[in-house]
Amino acid sequence: QHLNKLQLLAHIDEEVRELNREHNRFLLSDTNALLHNLVRDGDSSFVFEKIGANIRNVMIDEFQDTDQQQVDLINFLTGEGGRALCTVGDAQQSIYRFRGAEVEVFRRAQRRIEDEAAAGSVGSVVELVKNFRSHAEVLEYVARIFDGGKGGIMPGFLDLLPHDGRVDGLRVAGASRRQALLVAGGTTEERTAAKAEAIARRFRSLADAGQPVGGMVLLLGGMPRAGVYADAIRAQGLDCVISGGSVFAS
């Protein structure tokens, strides 16, 4: 069953590439390879002219989601003219493996910079360990799950420290910010309903203890079942608004 689907995808890919060749076009996903070959095998002086003769510093963000070909291209561009390269990334946020990103590329670059710095190079690795989003309880909980040095599942996990100036919005004395919920068995709909009910009861108990309802937010990975959670919250006598996107407004 899956073999037929893969054969169909291969046929579609072949047809699309043939159409692109006929019309002198290329896929956006081919850009990295085209630029890599162009800069590696040809005269790249025009590239530096295009990015500006006065550029002396280059910063690459989200470096954890690059692949080796992209890193080689970056090195081609920053290797001339005395340009200084600054990369910013977090191996724990690497999410583009499906697109060819390799988190090990990030780790290799970090090890190389550290080795060169130990040998007297001007390069250095700066770890930003202050977290401005989460409280200590949440960070400690995450570390217990992921920190490989403490029995967690991720080797080389970077523990983060809470920002001292963060305002505490939890008004219920003794309430925990951490609550793990394991739901097993049943259908997807039944598991969703069980999770929604448990979360709604948690919101109700916090509200009864004096926590403002307007400060409660439920983040979902997707919106298809948002209505189930909203219904469960409303069943507890709490107002609920569903909002898509990534911006919260009061």
Side-chain angles (χ1 to χ4, degrees):
Q1 134 188 17
H2 297 300
L3 182 60
N4 291 334
K5 293 179 181 178
L6 290 174
Q7 290 173 337
L8 176 60
L9 288 174
H11 180 70
I12 293 174
D13 180 72
E14 182 180 348
E15 288 293 320
V16 169
R17 293 187 180 278
E18 180 61 32
L19 287 171
N20 283 336
R21 283 192 292 268
E22 291 177 1
H23 294 86
N24 196 28
R25 300 178 306 201
F26 60 88
L27 297 173
L28 182 62
S29 57
D30 294 332
T31 304
N32 286 332
L34 291 171
L35 287 175
H36 185 274
N37 294 333
L38 180 66
V39 175
R40 181 192 61 188
D41 301 331
D43 181 6
S44 60
S45 59
F46 78 95
V47 176
F48 299 106
E49 180 181 351
K50 289 295 183 182
I51 66 175
N54 295 323
I55 294 178
R56 291 293 176 264
N57 299 282
V58 177
M59 187 185 80
I60 308 297
D61 198 9
E62 304 293 353
F63 195 64
Q64 77 278 354
D65 288 323
T66 56
D67 56 41
Q68 189 58 52
Q69 192 172 69
Q70 290 172 319
V71 172
D72 291 341
L73 182 58
I74 292 168
N75 290 335
F76 286 139
L77 295 175
T78 59
E80 297 183 20
R83 290 176 175 82
L85 173 64
C86 173
T87 61
V88 181
D90 181 357
Q92 291 158 205
Q93 295 189 45
S94 181
I95 59 175
Y96 282 97
R97 184 178 179 182
F98 69 92
R99 204 179 60 185
E102 302 174 61
V103 70
E104 184 56 30
V105 170
F106 173 88
R107 293 194 174 107
R108 282 201 302 269
Q110 178 178 347
R111 290 193 295 268
R112 176 180 58 79
I113 294 172
E114 290 173 338
D115 292 343
E116 292 176 354
S121 172
V122 296
S124 63
V125 174
V126 179
E127 292 186 343
L128 306 177
V129 298
K130 281 286 187 178
N131 183 295
F132 291 82
R133 295 180 176 177
S134 304
H135 289 274
E137 289 183 12
V138 175
L139 296 176
E140 291 167 1
Y141 184 72
V142 171
R144 289 181 63 185
I145 296 174
F146 290 98
D147 192 338
K150 300 177 180 178
I153 63 177
M154 182 181 292
F157 183 82
L158 178 64
D159 287 342
L160 300 179
L161 303 175
H163 176 51
D164 297 333
R166 181 181 176 88
V167 178
D168 193 345
L170 186 60
R171 300 183 184 179
V172 180
S176 174
R177 291 184 174 85
R178 305 170 298 183
Q179 185 176 30
L181 177 65
L182 176 63
V183 178
T187 64
T188 300
E189 290 74 17
E190 290 170 339
R191 291 194 297 272
T192 300
K195 289 185 289 185
E197 183 178 353
I199 292 171
R201 289 199 304 267
R202 169 70 168 168
F203 281 5
R204 180 73 266 176
S205 65
L206 288 172
D208 291 342
Q211 185 68 26
V213 178
M216 300 180 187
V217 177
L218 176 62
L219 303 181
L220 299 174
M223 300 301 289
R225 298 184 176 86
V228 178
Y229 290 91
D231 289 342
I233 292 172
R234 290 171 182 143
Q236 291 292 329
L238 302 174
D239 291 332
C240 178
V241 175
I242 299 177
S243 176
S246 59
V247 178
F248 297 101
S250 57

